[in-house]
Amino acid sequence: MSFRDLRNFTEMMRALGYPRLISMENFRSPNFPLVAEILIWLVKRYEPQMEIPSDVDTESDRVFFIKAVAQFMATKAHVKLNLKRLYQADGYAVKEMLKITSILYNAMKTKEHTDGEQNTDENSKFKFDLCSKIADLKVARQLGSEITAKGAALFDLLGHEEDLRESRTAAIARPLEITETERALRAAVKDVMEGIQMTKDLLSNVSSDEASLEAKIEKKKQDLERNQKRLQTLQSVRPAFMDEYEKIEEDLQKQYQTYVEKFRNVSFLEQQLDDYHRAEQERFEEAEMAMKMRQNKLKEEEKRLMRSGARDEDSDVDIPEDEGSDSDIDEGQQPRPRHAQISGDDDDDEDGEEDEDEEEEENEDLNEDNDSLEGSSAKPGRSNRSLHPQILEESDNDF
């Protein structure tokens, strides 16, 4: 594609009265809808009554459209178009469309020049109507194409005239001899007789071949009937091993059903076992957490008791000093405060015994918890049994 061709095409289309403005950038990339629109407009411009399918959505429609336009231009305008370039719908298609636009543009220029010489008006009553002369135009084009074909054939025949003239002149000038004529006729008769004999031989061979083919066909028919009878006999006879085969097939079906049922049970039991181990592991972890919380609670209780015991010892040490001071001050009082002091000492002893009883009860509860943990930790597995003694040793160290 050259810039000159594209410029000439746009100028010619503008001069011919194409309603749409064509830019030189429209054909930088393939633009098939624009090419189809231009081709339809050019065909309508060339022959208004021509109907061209305008559907170009699919590939087959586009191919049919290009072929129809090319065939129309070849038959009506004797313009040969390159279908591949038109289908490309780019700058190469412009070269092909330029052929059509050149014809229309030159015709328009010729008409304008003739009108200018004759000084006729466009709106005169002698205006040429193309539609009224369509039939005559078709006949004229058909006659023109026939004249062209006949003229080409005549030209080829006249080209061989120089070689044939000498042979024709020599044959006419040569005197006619009876002997040569007889010889030629006899040779021709001999050739014809040989052809007739050859045809008779072929006919006889055809009859013999037909007989042999019929014999072969009959033999094949007999073989086919024999094989069909044998097939029917084999189908009617039950094999000896068929009963055993059916029995084995039934047993195989039962075994397969048993296998499927057992496989399903095993899968279910494995799932239940996994769920049981998971639940045991969760219970063990919960028991371990409860034991650790109880150990921490016992440690705090022990610390609290130790602190309370230390306070009681301090109070026991301070009481005699207070009694001595009171005795020095109140020597003349009755022994009743002493009785109260003795009763207070008895209460302290009772509180100490109660604290010891509470410690013993807590130790017994801890031992029971340890025993229960030993029983529950023995179930989950080897890893849980290996962890439990370590926990018991820690609990013993705490006490």
Side-chain angles (χ1 to χ4, degrees):
M1 179 189 69
S2 62
F3 179 79
R4 182 187 300 173
D5 295 337
L6 188 57
R7 185 189 61 187
N8 294 335
F9 177 73
T10 55
E11 293 296 332
M12 289 179 182
M13 291 297 292
R14 189 181 298 111
L16 289 172
Y18 185 66
R20 179 177 174 180
L21 182 62
I22 301 174
S23 175
M24 290 186 289
E25 297 295 331
N26 293 133
F27 299 100
R28 297 294 181 185
S29 60
N31 192 356
F32 196 86
L34 179 59
V35 172
E37 183 180 354
I38 293 172
L39 289 174
I40 292 173
W41 187 84
L42 290 174
V43 170
K44 292 291 184 181
R45 178 82 178 186
Y46 197 88
E47 187 171 349
Q49 294 182 354
M50 183 63 188
E51 295 294 335
I52 297 293
S54 59
D55 189 8
V56 292
D57 294 334
T58 62
E59 182 180 356
S60 59
D61 294 337
R62 290 193 291 269
V63 172
F64 182 75
F65 172 76
I66 293 295
K67 286 183 177 179
V69 172
Q71 185 177 3
F72 171 77
M73 297 309 297
T75 55
K76 302 300 181 181
H78 301 285
V79 176
K80 184 178 181 181
L81 300 176
N82 193 334
L83 302 181
K84 292 182 179 179
R85 290 185 177 179
L86 283 176
Y87 191 81
Q88 289 177 0
D90 53 2
Y92 293 102
V94 174
K95 290 184 177 180
E96 301 301 321
M97 292 188 293
L98 189 60
K99 299 177 183 178
I100 306 172
T101 55
S102 299
I103 295 173
L104 295 174
Y105 184 75
N106 293 330
M108 185 183 68
K109 288 294 184 181
T110 304
K111 185 175 181 299
E112 289 179 355
H113 182 69
T114 305
D115 292 341
E117 290 179 353
Q118 295 178 356
N119 295 321
T120 58
D121 191 8
E122 293 181 357
N123 297 323
S124 64
K125 60 181 179 180
F126 299 105
K127 184 179 179 181
F128 180 71
D129 189 4
L130 184 61
C131 297
S132 62
K133 301 294 182 180
I134 293 298
D136 297 338
L137 183 61
K138 291 181 179 179
V139 174
R141 286 175 180 171
Q142 186 176 1
L143 292 175
S145 61
E146 291 179 359
I147 290 170
T148 304
K150 297 294 184 180
L154 182 60
F155 179 78
D156 293 334
L157 293 175
L158 291 175
H160 299 289
E161 176 62 20
E162 295 180 358
D163 298 332
L164 297 176
R165 186 185 297 115
E166 297 178 359
S167 300
R168 185 174 64 251
T169 305
I172 293 172
R174 187 178 58 184
L176 185 61
E177 295 182 359
I178 302 300
T179 56
E180 292 181 359
T181 304
E182 279 184 28
R183 193 181 300 113
L185 290 174
R186 286 175 182 175
V189 170
K190 185 178 181 181
D191 293 336
V192 171
M193 295 300 293
E194 289 178 356
I196 293 171
Q197 186 64 32
M198 188 180 296
T199 304
K200 290 181 179 180
D201 294 337
L202 291 174
L203 290 174
S204 61
N205 292 331
V206 166
S207 60
S208 61
D209 293 338
E210 185 178 359
S212 62
L213 289 174
E214 288 179 355
K216 289 180 180 180
I217 290 170
E218 188 66 25
K219 184 178 180 181
K220 292 295 182 181
K221 286 182 179 179
Q222 292 177 0
D223 294 337
L224 178 60
E225 291 176 357
R226 191 183 306 110
N227 291 327
Q228 286 179 352
K229 291 180 180 178
R230 185 177 179 184
L231 177 61
Q232 292 176 359
T233 303
L234 292 175
Q235 289 178 351
S236 62
V237 175
R238 184 179 178 84
F241 58 85
M242 197 65 188
D243 297 334
E244 185 179 0
Y245 172 75
E246 292 178 354
K247 185 178 180 181
I248 292 172
E249 189 175 4
E250 292 177 357
D251 294 339
L252 179 62
Q253 187 68 23
K254 292 179 181 179
Q255 292 294 333
Y256 178 72
Q257 292 178 357
T258 306
Y259 165 74
V260 171
E261 184 178 359
K262 289 183 177 180
F263 181 78
R264 189 182 302 155
N265 294 333
V266 169
S267 300
F268 176 74
L269 292 175
E270 287 179 354
Q271 183 180 1
Q272 293 293 326
L273 182 61
D274 294 337
D275 296 339
Y276 175 76
H277 286 316
R278 193 181 302 108
E280 288 293 328
Q281 183 68 23
E282 291 177 357
R283 285 200 296 271
F284 175 73
E285 292 176 356
E286 292 177 358
E288 186 177 0
M289 291 296 295
M291 186 182 66
K292 287 183 180 180
M293 293 174 64
R294 190 168 294 176
Q295 287 178 357
N296 294 330
K297 184 177 180 181
L298 291 175
K299 286 180 181 180
E300 293 177 358
E301 187 69 23
E302 185 180 359
K303 290 179 182 179
R304 185 178 63 79
L305 292 174
M306 290 175 66
R307 285 195 298 270
S308 64
R311 285 196 300 269
D312 293 339
E313 290 176 359
D314 294 339
S315 63
D316 292 338
V317 172
D318 294 338
I319 287 171
E321 294 178 357
D322 295 336
E323 289 175 355
S325 62
D326 294 335
S327 62
D328 293 336
I329 296 171
D330 300 328
E331 290 178 355
Q333 293 181 356
Q334 296 179 2
R336 187 174 180 180
R338 185 178 179 183
H339 183 268
Q341 182 180 359
I342 293 169
S343 63
D345 293 336
D346 293 336
D347 293 335
D348 293 336
D349 294 335
E350 289 177 359
D351 293 335
E353 290 177 358
E354 289 177 359
D355 293 336
E356 289 178 359
D357 293 336
E358 290 178 358
E359 290 179 359
E360 289 178 359
E361 290 177 358
E362 290 175 355
N363 291 331
E364 289 177 358
D365 294 336
L366 181 62
N367 290 329
E368 290 177 358
D369 295 335
N370 292 332
D371 293 337
S372 64
L373 290 174
E374 287 176 359
S376 62
S377 61
K379 294 180 181 179
R382 187 176 298 175
S383 62
N384 298 332
R385 290 197 297 270
S386 62
L387 293 173
H388 187 65
Q390 184 178 0
I391 297 170
L392 293 178
E393 289 177 2
E394 293 177 358
S395 64
D396 294 337
N397 292 332
D398 294 335
F399 291 100

